[in-house]
Amino acid sequence: MARCRSYLRGLAICVTVLLMASGVVMIGVGFSSIDGNIPVAELFEQLSSSDGLLVLQVFGPVTVILSILGICAATLDAKRLLLVFSALIFVEFVAVMVVASPLVQVQAQMDSEVDEVFLNVTPLHRAERYIQTELNKLQNSDSCCGLRKFEDWENQLPASCLCTPPTSPPDSALSSSSGGDCVMVGSDQHPPAPQVADNTWVHSKPCGAVLKSYLSFPIKLRIGIISAFATIAMAAIALCLALGLEKYWKKPPVESTVDDFNRVKYEPKPSLT
């Protein structure tokens, strides 16, 4: 029993240290500028992509402080302090779950909101110069063209949309001229692009999916951190409660004696301490 209790105490200390580490990660992510690294960030100013930052910024320091309290309580084997720590962490756990619950809804609504932004900014050749510049950089780096399709540029296809044609010509039996990641445009474009000659190839992959992945990454990261905190917090609560309520689940050693009338009597064994 003593060995089991020692393992339980060591495990409680380790889990509480992990809880403190999660608090440090919450602080680091909460005060870092992730959203500023999103390509064409001006497109998404109207979206609530910063949701969840306040949760990390507020509950990160609280988690670190409470974790220090829990480490001290587990190290000193202070029963009352362990129970206080468990109660405070449970209150924080409930508060985080309530405050962070809108993040799931934001993630679910992200695609429809982003599609609406894409629709408002097209045609792209009429968008702000900064947006066009950043989008050209993205098209060069990720081999994509347009937001939903290359027609978003209408008849003003930039050079960043141009694609190296496939080595073998496309099957003439196919109704659409395409080859791998490239698609052929030319005189059949409406209206025709003056700078695009016949049999010119452009990237078929739209950049919208790439931008959506950039935009959803901060929210997914925050949800992942909060989920990890919740898991570690529940483990810390269970272990610290088990140590704090040890007298209720630990069976004290007993010794039996027989009196003069052959009656067995059980009494707690005297402690050596």
Side-chain angles (χ1 to χ4, degrees):
M1 181 65 68
R3 179 175 297 181
C4 178
R5 182 181 177 280
S6 177
Y7 288 152
L8 189 64
R9 182 180 171 190
L11 186 59
I13 295 175
C14 294
V15 172
T16 311
V17 171
L18 287 178
L19 187 64
M20 183 174 64
S22 70
V24 174
V25 174
M26 291 168 70
I27 295 174
V29 175
F31 288 95
S32 63
S33 178
I34 298 179
D35 295 336
N37 297 327
I38 298 177
V40 201
E42 288 188 357
L43 285 177
F44 309 110
E45 289 179 352
Q46 55 184 300
L47 299 181
S48 55
S49 59
S50 61
D51 288 349
L53 279 180
L54 186 60
V55 178
L56 302 181
Q57 293 171 356
V58 172
F59 290 101
V62 174
T63 302
V64 172
I65 295 174
L66 293 181
S67 299
I68 295 175
L69 176 65
I71 293 173
C72 295
T75 303
L76 300 175
D77 198 14
K79 307 296 185 184
R80 293 183 179 179
L81 199 57
L82 285 169
L83 296 178
V84 171
F85 166 75
S86 301
L88 292 177
I89 286 295
F90 179 76
V91 171
E92 183 191 6
F93 168 80
V94 174
V96 170
M97 292 298 101
V98 172
V99 177
S101 58
L103 277 178
V104 180
Q105 184 178 3
V106 170
Q107 178 65 30
Q109 296 176 347
M110 184 64 65
D111 286 345
S112 61
E113 292 181 353
V114 171
D115 288 336
E116 184 177 354
V117 173
F118 290 169
L119 183 62
N120 294 334
V121 79
T122 52
L124 293 175
H125 65 86
R126 297 179 184 174
E128 296 180 5
R129 178 59 59 181
Y130 171 80
I131 295 178
Q132 294 185 27
T133 302
E134 293 297 315
L135 190 54
N136 278 321
K137 293 179 181 178
L138 183 64
Q139 290 176 160
N140 280 321
S141 60
D142 288 78
S143 301
C144 56
C145 183
L147 293 175
R148 297 167 299 170
K149 51 187 177 180
F150 69 88
E151 286 91 344
D152 290 340
W153 290 99
E154 290 189 345
N155 62 340
Q156 302 292 330
L157 287 171
S160 58
C161 279
L162 300 182
C163 176
T164 303
T167 54
S168 59
D171 189 357
S172 58
L174 296 177
S175 58
S176 60
S177 298
S178 61
D181 294 332
C182 301
V183 62
M184 186 175 65
V185 297
S187 58
D188 58 342
Q189 187 180 9
H190 301 285
Q195 78 279 17
V196 177
D198 292 342
N199 300 332
T200 298
W201 296 83
V202 297
H203 298 294
S204 60
K205 181 178 72 173
C207 297
V210 179
L211 288 175
K212 286 180 181 180
S213 65
Y214 278 114
L215 187 62
S216 61
F217 172 74
I219 297 180
K220 290 180 179 179
L221 178 62
R222 293 160 197 168
I223 292 177
I225 293 175
I226 293 173
S227 300
F229 159 80
T231 303
I232 299 174
M234 292 303 296
I237 292 173
L239 291 171
C240 291
L241 278 178
L243 290 175
L245 301 175
E246 180 184 3
K247 64 180 181 180
Y248 295 101
W249 58 266
K250 182 180 179 181
K251 295 181 179 180
V254 296
E255 61 181 5
S256 60
T257 58
V258 180
D259 59 11
D260 297 337
F261 300 97
N262 289 329
R263 292 178 300 186
V264 180
K265 187 177 181 180
Y266 296 95
E267 294 180 347
K269 189 176 181 180
S271 178
L272 299 178
T273 55

